[in-house]
Amino acid sequence: MEVDFVRSRFIKHFDGKTGNVYASPGRINLIGEHTDYNGGFVFPGAVDKGVMAEMRINDTEDTVMAYAIDLKDRVDFKLSDSNGPRASWARYIYGIALEMKKLGVPVKGFNIAFAGDVPLGAGMSSSAAMESCFAFGLNDLFGDNKVSQWDMVLAGQATEHNYCGVNCGIMDQFASVFGKAGCLMRLDCRSREFQYFPFKPDGYRLVLLDSVVKHQLSGSPYNDRRNSCEKVVKCVQAKHPEAKFETLRDCTWEQLDEVKDEIGADDYRRAKFVLGEKDRVLAVCDALTEGDYEKVGELMYQTHEGLSKDYEVSCEELDFLNQIAKENGVTGSRIMGGGFGGCTINLVRNDLYRQFIEDAKKRFNEKYGHEPKVYDVVISDGSRKIC
Ligand code: GLA
């Protein structure tokens, strides 16, 4: 995205002055889905698509004048208004400003215009890109950059919880803030320790196929999945009062089986997926270290199967894309992100790439009347000030 594009709109829609420009990316996730809020591991990386915002202090006590360039929508609101704005995009600005204030940043009135090129509803975290971008900007404009990267991650997550109705984990905001060009990151969501993993698979590439089935996590079964996991943890805890169980990460397979009859079939299957997924992320790390991409791919297919059959966050279109990948000899393929629509992520050998994409476009189009969108993954840097 071009700075000039955002800047020209900022100048036009406000008082002609310029401000500072910030950018934050969306993300992919190689493996480790629905594990973040269960204290497990994730393996994301930032992408070359994101949100760019120009921001300037406007010398009012607490009036925010906001312009969403892509939607051509202007909303002004006061930070002191306890309801906040109604437009869903403006709630991210409102929410993050209040969360940054909680962290001690003396946020006052500001002007902001922003645009994005993360496909909406594709499961690539356009909302985390907004939160991180606005948090980064407010930290710079009002906070002397004193708020740490981790606190900005948590402020983004709190924005989702408190103002947008999604009880998400920390993966998306983490990836958007900490991303590094050419590197995936393995994050332990319980301890918050992470490592950068240079990702340059020789002879393979990552490509996303977007089903264009819009996923929306707010008010969705996403929160139900999280509730299921928490219920299981409570049951295990009740059986073992001597130990402390915070998330499914703390539960063993044996402990899960002990409560099998009490928790019901749905919750059991969901918890089983989560425990398996935690192990798969670690197995993927080992396979990557050994350069064994065929193993990585096999684990990706297992994740898809689990997300589809046990966690039940897939849909017909995504299962179809996964099937096409399999039939084209694609090394690994799975639904990516929260689910209920969005993309598959595919690890494909260079020599099979063209044939796979052509076949997927053709067959998907025949069945659903439109082609999937294709995004080649370019692993890029996290939140930053542009100028
Ligand atoms: C969404 C959430 C994340 C994570 C994924 C599933 O993207 O925002 O916190 O739970 O779904 O892995």
Side-chain angles (χ1 to χ4, degrees):
M1 207 183 330
E2 298 297 323
V3 178
D4 291 350
F5 171 70
V6 174
R7 175 146 286 173
S8 62
R9 273 43 171 205
F10 187 81
I11 290 173
K12 182 167 161 215
H13 287 278
F14 300 115
D15 51 11
K17 296 180 186 146
T18 59
N20 298 341
V21 180
Y22 308 92
S24 292
R27 61 111 189 85
I28 53 132
N29 184 28
L30 184 65
I31 200 152
E33 224 60 90
H34 291 275
T35 46
D36 56 356
Y37 53 84
N38 284 303
F41 298 93
V42 291
F43 215 142
V47 292
D48 60 341
K49 302 183 192 332
V51 166
M52 192 181 278
E54 180 145 4
M55 299 167 72
R56 197 175 71 81
I57 296 177
N58 65 16
D59 299 321
T60 65
E61 188 45 36
D62 71 344
T63 300
V64 177
M65 299 180 210
Y67 185 63
I69 297 171
D70 304 319
L71 301 172
K72 297 192 172 54
D73 193 15
R74 163 90 181 249
V75 173
D76 294 359
F77 59 87
K78 283 183 180 300
L79 295 174
S80 52
D81 172 0
S82 58
N83 292 322
R86 291 181 67 175
S88 55
W89 62 266
R91 294 196 66 75
Y92 292 102
I93 303 177
Y94 174 74
I96 203 78
L98 296 193
E99 292 300 327
M100 293 300 276
K101 274 174 86 131
K102 283 189 200 160
L103 291 168
V105 178
V107 180
K108 294 198 178 318
F110 60 94
N111 295 352
I112 174 169
F114 71 97
D117 58 2
V118 188
L120 295 179
M124 295 170 72
S125 301
S126 50
S127 53
M130 282 194 275
E131 290 144 14
S132 319
C133 181
F134 306 154
F136 202 85
L138 293 174
N139 195 25
D140 188 46
L141 284 182
F142 294 101
D144 266 342
N145 290 304
K146 284 196 185 124
V147 172
S148 70
Q149 284 174 297
W150 264 113
D151 279 340
M152 287 193 276
V153 169
L154 297 174
Q157 184 195 27
T159 299
E160 296 279 355
H161 290 192
N162 300 335
Y163 310 93
C164 307
V166 182
N167 283 331
C168 64
I170 52 172
M171 168 169 73
D172 306 350
Q173 293 78 8
F174 161 79
S176 185
V177 168
F178 283 96
K180 188 163 150 181
C183 289
L184 295 178
M185 299 167 282
R186 186 185 74 181
L187 169 68
D188 177 337
C189 298
R190 182 169 67 182
S191 66
R192 298 198 193 133
E193 280 168 11
F194 67 96
Q195 289 92 35
Y196 287 105
F197 268 71
F199 186 74
K200 230 176 172 280
D202 202 13
Y204 296 81
R205 58 205 280 186
L206 282 177
V207 60
L208 307 183
L209 290 189
D210 185 356
S211 63
V212 205
V213 176
K214 285 268 176 285
H215 96 154
Q216 216 211 348
L217 296 184
S218 65
S220 80
Y222 178 92
N223 291 350
D224 295 349
R225 300 299 182 278
R226 185 169 184 160
N227 291 339
S228 285
C229 298
E230 286 168 0
K231 260 181 11 213
V232 175
V233 175
K234 277 208 185 100
C235 261
V236 173
Q237 178 71 76
K239 277 227 154 49
H240 295 274
E242 73 295 346
K244 179 124 189 64
F245 295 86
E246 279 177 357
T247 60
L248 280 178
R249 167 77 180 277
D250 306 321
C251 306
T252 61
W253 289 97
E254 292 73 30
Q255 287 162 342
L256 175 60
D257 276 335
E258 280 169 17
V259 297
K260 186 172 177 183
D261 295 335
E262 287 160 49
I263 57 181
D266 283 357
D267 289 353
Y268 177 73
R269 268 187 287 109
R270 289 173 185 176
K272 202 180 82 181
F273 165 78
V274 171
L275 293 200
E277 187 69 353
K278 186 200 77 186
D279 296 345
R280 275 190 290 272
V281 180
L282 299 178
V284 159
C285 289
D286 292 345
L288 280 182
T289 311
E290 285 158 20
D292 187 351
Y293 294 105
E294 294 302 315
K295 180 77 196 167
V296 172
E298 198 183 306
L299 292 157
M300 289 170 75
Y301 278 115
Q302 284 175 19
T303 292
H304 183 88
E305 190 71 9
L307 285 170
S308 179
K309 303 271 160 35
D310 293 333
Y311 218 65
E312 292 176 301
V313 295
S314 188
C315 60
E316 192 193 305
E317 291 85 345
L318 288 166
D319 288 345
F320 187 54
L321 286 174
N322 182 263
Q323 186 59 34
I324 296 175
K326 235 181 239 163
E327 288 168 16
N328 276 276
V330 169
T331 303
S333 174
R334 66 175 197 81
I335 180 173
M336 187 187 75
F340 314 106
C343 293
T344 57
I345 179 167
N346 303 276
L347 178 66
V348 54
R349 275 194 0 234
N350 288 338
D351 57 322
L352 295 177
Y353 176 85
R354 265 185 64 160
Q355 173 60 35
F356 166 49
I357 299 296
E358 266 171 32
D359 192 45
K361 281 185 172 170
K362 183 166 162 285
R363 289 169 63 189
F364 198 85
N365 191 22
E366 275 164 15
K367 193 154 181 191
Y368 297 110
H370 65 87
E371 292 182 352
K373 292 194 175 145
V374 180
Y375 311 119
D376 287 307
V377 173
V378 180
I379 303 170
S380 307
D381 282 327
S383 300
R384 60 208 179 273
K385 184 172 182 172
I386 307 282
C387 60

